[in-house]
Amino acid sequence: MEPCGSGLRLNSKLSLLPNLKKSSLFPSSSISSRPSVQSASWVSLKTPSRMTYLRGLSAQSKSSVEKVGDLISDRRDLVSAIKRKKLAVFVSGGGSNFRSIHEACVNGLIHGEVAVLVTNKTDCGGAVYAREKGIRVLVFPNTKGEPDGLSASDLVTALGSADIDFVLLAGYLKLIPSELVQAYRRSIFNIHPSLLPAFGGKGYYGMKVHKAVIASGARYSGPTIHFVDDHYDTGRILAQRVVPVLPTDTAEELAARVLKEEHRLYVEVTAALCEDRIVWRDDEVPLIRSKENSNEYS
């Protein structure tokens, strides 16, 4: 996959997710078996409570404790300095992942807000929830069943007018138009209920995926979050979470286990997106910088 026009590349093995300014670049470094670069001054890191630090430093001097306090304050300043991202979430059904992301935004776990909900079904559960929460709802695409739906070009215009930073697909069953993929290159993400590239592609969605996993005899499954390209489930993998497939599992039981991990994983990845913690290796593999340790990646 070619980097987009707005993307930036480091002299080392990692490049930043596009939309970061050159002034935000961190120093280069080489990659070993475990990718590592120097910490960037703009990166927001997870900030444990002051008491958590103090307990671990009880044997250290007062000056060391004061330094820790300064570090905590500096990290909090960095979090507030990062632009609060605007998200558009696409759903076709109940939207449980959408709800998890919205609640995490409201509770401050994600440095962003769901500004727009896009759906191909105006009466689906996700759309009803969005209207209840005062979130703008757009219908796409325009079909006989949804004559008020937007065209692809109108959708791109609407999202641009809303200043959307990232598009998150959460159970949206329509193929994303190429116009949107090009407009939001490396900024559209999907969650799939299997460990891609297994059990992915056209026709693999919902309970069909879990039935296929059980029928195959696979011992493990789990959600995958990947970048979206012009095809079903073929974009670069960003994150996965493994769950066991039990010998007595029904498709419904496996689906419930996977969905529980979906909710956790999508919130974690969305938080990383909104904190500018996604980087790219030279071989076009995206990585997530750890919030606790800026020299570790997953």
Side-chain angles (χ1 to χ4, degrees), residues 68-129:
V68 169
D70 292 339
L71 177 60
I72 292 173
S73 297
D74 290 344
R75 288 180 173 178
R76 285 174 178 163
D77 290 341
L78 289 172
V79 170
S80 62
I82 296 174
K83 172 183 176 285
R84 187 175 176 84
K85 304 300 192 296
K86 289 189 176 182
L87 312 172
V89 183
F90 285 46
V91 304
S92 292
S96 64
N97 274 303
F98 156 52
R99 298 179 192 215
S100 294
I101 291 169
H102 174 257
E103 290 172 0
C105 290
V106 171
N107 294 328
L109 300 177
I110 294 175
H111 192 60
E113 63 172 310
V114 179
V116 176
L117 186 285
V118 178
T119 182
N120 60 311
K121 298 179 179 180
T122 56
D123 59 350
C124 71
V128 172
Y129 175 86

Side-chain angles (χ1 to χ4, degrees), residues 32 108 117 125 134-135 138 151 161 167 171 184 193 220 224 239 243 258 276 295:
S32 60
L117 186 285
I135 299 171
L138 299 177
S151 66
S161 298
V167 172
Y184 283 87
Y220 297 95
T224 298
V243 302
V258 172
D276 298 330
N295 292 318

Side-chain angles (χ1 to χ4, degrees), residues 101-220:
I101 291 169
H102 174 257
E103 290 172 0
C105 290
V106 171
N107 294 328
L109 300 177
I110 294 175
H111 192 60
E113 63 172 310
V114 179
V116 176
L117 186 285
V118 178
T119 182
N120 60 311
K121 298 179 179 180
T122 56
D123 59 350
C124 71
V128 172
Y129 175 86
R131 294 188 184 97
E132 290 174 350
K133 300 300 180 180
I135 299 171
R136 182 184 179 190
V137 176
L138 299 177
V139 179
F140 175 82
N142 181 296
T143 63
K144 291 182 179 179
E146 297 290 355
D148 295 327
L150 299 175
S151 66
S153 59
D154 287 342
L155 176 63
V156 172
T157 299
L159 296 182
S161 298
D163 197 25
I164 296 300
D165 295 290
F166 297 113
V167 172
L168 309 176
L169 309 186
Y172 185 72
L173 302 181
K174 296 292 184 180
L175 185 66
I176 299 301
S178 58
E179 294 95 327
L180 186 61
V181 173
Q182 293 303 317
Y184 283 87
R185 186 77 175 227
R186 286 186 173 178
S187 297
I188 307 178
F189 306 85
N190 182 46
I191 189 161
H192 184 77
S194 74
L195 296 174
L196 292 176
F199 309 104
K202 188 174 182 179
Y204 278 99
Y205 62 87
M207 207 58 65
K208 293 182 179 181
V209 172
H210 305 297
K211 289 179 179 178
V213 169
I214 292 173
S216 74
R219 297 325 195 244
Y220 297 95

Side-chain angles (χ1 to χ4, degrees), residues 201-278:
K202 188 174 182 179
Y204 278 99
Y205 62 87
M207 207 58 65
K208 293 182 179 181
V209 172
H210 305 297
K211 289 179 179 178
V213 169
I214 292 173
S216 74
R219 297 325 195 244
Y220 297 95
S221 188
T224 298
I225 294 177
H226 63 93
F227 286 83
V228 172
D229 56 20
D230 293 313
H231 307 283
Y232 286 106
D233 304 327
T234 58
R236 287 290 188 174
I237 292 171
L238 180 59
Q240 292 180 312
R241 186 66 52 79
V242 176
V243 302
V245 180
L246 304 181
T248 59
D249 266 344
T250 64
E252 290 75 16
E253 289 169 337
L254 177 58
R257 192 177 305 118
V258 172
L259 184 61
K260 185 176 181 180
E261 294 303 323
E262 285 184 34
H263 293 165
R264 295 174 180 171
L265 186 61
Y266 222 166
V267 167
E268 291 174 9
V269 170
T270 304
L273 291 173
C274 292
E275 294 169 6
D276 298 330
R277 289 192 285 112
I278 309 301

